[in-house]
Amino acid sequence: MSSIAPKKLKEKHFKIKDKVSGYDKDLVLKTFQLPNGMTENFFIDKGKDSVQIFALTKDQQVICVRQFRAGQEQIQTELPGGGLESGEDPKKAAERELAEETGFTTRSEFVCLGKIPYSPYWTGHKNMFLATECEKTTELSLDPNEFLEVVEIPIEKFRKLMQTGQVRGFDTAYLALDKMGRLEETSL
């Protein structure tokens, strides 16, 4: 065992449910003894896996959504995505989420870019996809608590937003741009 690895002492599970919306959240309180002997508690969000899509139109516009995020209490621009339904294939979820949130679909194959832990304090993973040649083919199909605006951003403007942290999902965008050979080389 590594000298920096803490020892788990206990964990306790909590479920929080809002009776009005039906929204629920599973949390785990994990208690660890750190290498220096100190005891520390961590709240872990026990969440499901999600998908995020870097979707590009035929004319090189990145499809994004703008929506209110309660944590930052502001409207943010981000790549479309959402949670997987129970037992749902990540690729099918990506196709579904893109159509539901943006009205865009593609005849091209969704390319899996990878799967990463969502956050150090979350048990779920983010499945990242690339979709090209996207076209607006359907109306939005939003959940009752979803309010968003679909925006198309020219790829070069999107890159600038990504570089300055003004768009969420830059990990997915980075992998997509790399896959497409569109990462710009810079000299140090």
Side-chain angles (χ1 to χ4, degrees):
M1 181 180 250
S2 169
S3 63
I4 63 168
K7 176 183 175 188
K8 184 166 33 169
L9 301 175
K10 63 182 176 178
E11 70 177 48
K12 185 174 180 180
H13 296 256
F14 300 91
K15 185 168 195 91
I16 302 169
K17 185 165 186 157
D18 178 44
K19 293 179 183 179
V20 175
S21 69
Y23 181 77
D24 63 4
K25 179 134 328 246
D26 290 320
L27 297 172
V28 181
L29 174 63
K30 294 183 178 185
T31 304
F32 289 90
Q33 182 178 30
L34 304 179
N36 66 358
M38 183 175 153
T39 300
E40 185 79 27
N41 291 315
F42 298 91
F43 281 99
I44 309 300
D45 195 335
K46 191 171 182 196
K48 59 185 177 178
D49 287 357
S50 66
V51 294
Q52 190 170 57
I53 308 101
F54 184 88
L56 202 57
T57 64
K58 290 180 179 184
D59 62 346
Q60 303 298 292
Q61 304 283 316
V62 181
I63 303 163
C64 292
V65 296
R66 291 182 37 80
Q67 59 186 322
F68 178 78
R69 292 303 189 188
Q72 293 75 32
E73 296 186 15
Q74 62 181 311
I75 294 172
Q76 297 189 321
T77 302
E78 56 193 46
L79 296 178
L84 273 70
E85 302 297 332
S86 181
E88 187 176 24
D89 174 73
K91 182 179 167 191
K92 293 290 183 199
E95 293 169 354
R96 175 183 55 75
E97 283 290 341
L98 182 63
E100 286 178 0
E101 285 195 354
T102 69
F104 281 82
T105 59
T106 182
R107 292 180 188 206
S108 298
E109 189 69 24
F110 273 66
V111 177
C112 180
L113 300 168
K115 177 179 175 177
I116 60 172
Y118 197 74
S119 129
Y121 300 98
W122 180 282
T123 60
H125 290 79
K126 178 168 48 174
N127 297 271
M128 301 169 290
F129 289 89
L130 167 63
T132 58
E133 305 289 314
C134 296
E135 298 178 282
K136 178 95 166 107
T137 59
T138 186
E139 296 301 314
L140 304 187
S141 177
L142 302 175
D143 294 334
N145 64 346
E146 273 185 311
F147 300 90
L148 54 83
E149 172 189 7
V150 179
V151 292
E152 296 175 43
I153 303 171
I155 195 166
E156 289 309 317
K157 181 177 179 185
F158 177 87
R159 290 166 53 79
K160 287 182 175 72
L161 294 172
M162 183 178 86
Q163 291 165 346
T164 57
Q166 295 179 60
V167 65
R168 294 185 60 231
F170 53 84
D171 46 2
T172 301
Y174 177 89
L175 292 174
L177 291 168
D178 185 47
K179 182 78 170 178
M180 296 185 304
R182 302 283 306 261
L183 285 179
E184 193 174 301
E185 291 186 28
T186 58
S187 57
L188 298 177

